[in-house]
Amino acid sequence: LCAGTSDYLVFATSSEKLYNKLQENEVPSEIKLSVGGWHSFEKIHRDIEPSITMAEMQDAIVEFVLKNL
């Protein structure tokens, strides 16, 4: 799961709840939060730490998919 903490369409807390349920049911899952990221991470507030860039988010998604195929 990838979530931006400033997302106004899908709140990061919703992603966290889904992640927790997946973990409870032993479903392989990871969560990455982009602090200040919006819905599609078009804006990252670089003055807020920690944060993850769109490129880092994409790399994490690819790594997870390849690991769990």
Side-chain angles (χ1 to χ4, degrees):
L1 300 170
C2 301
T5 60
S6 294
D7 188 339
Y8 52 90
L9 295 175
V10 179
F11 299 115
T13 53
S14 297
S15 296
E16 291 171 323
K17 287 178 184 178
L18 175 57
Y19 171 75
N20 290 335
K21 280 295 183 187
L22 292 170
Q23 291 294 293
E24 284 176 24
N25 290 286
E26 300 179 6
V27 175
S29 53
E30 295 177 13
I31 189 167
K32 301 282 184 183
L33 295 176
S34 175
V35 176
W38 291 6
H39 186 69
S40 61
F41 305 100
E42 69 273 12
K43 182 175 180 182
I44 302 289
H45 299 283
R46 301 205 186 282
D47 58 338
I48 301 173
E49 294 295 333
S51 190
I52 185 169
T53 66
M54 184 60 173
E56 292 168 327
M57 189 73 71
Q58 290 170 332
D59 288 345
I61 292 167
V62 169
E63 181 181 326
F64 178 83
V65 168
L66 293 175
K67 182 173 70 174
N68 291 284
L69 278 179

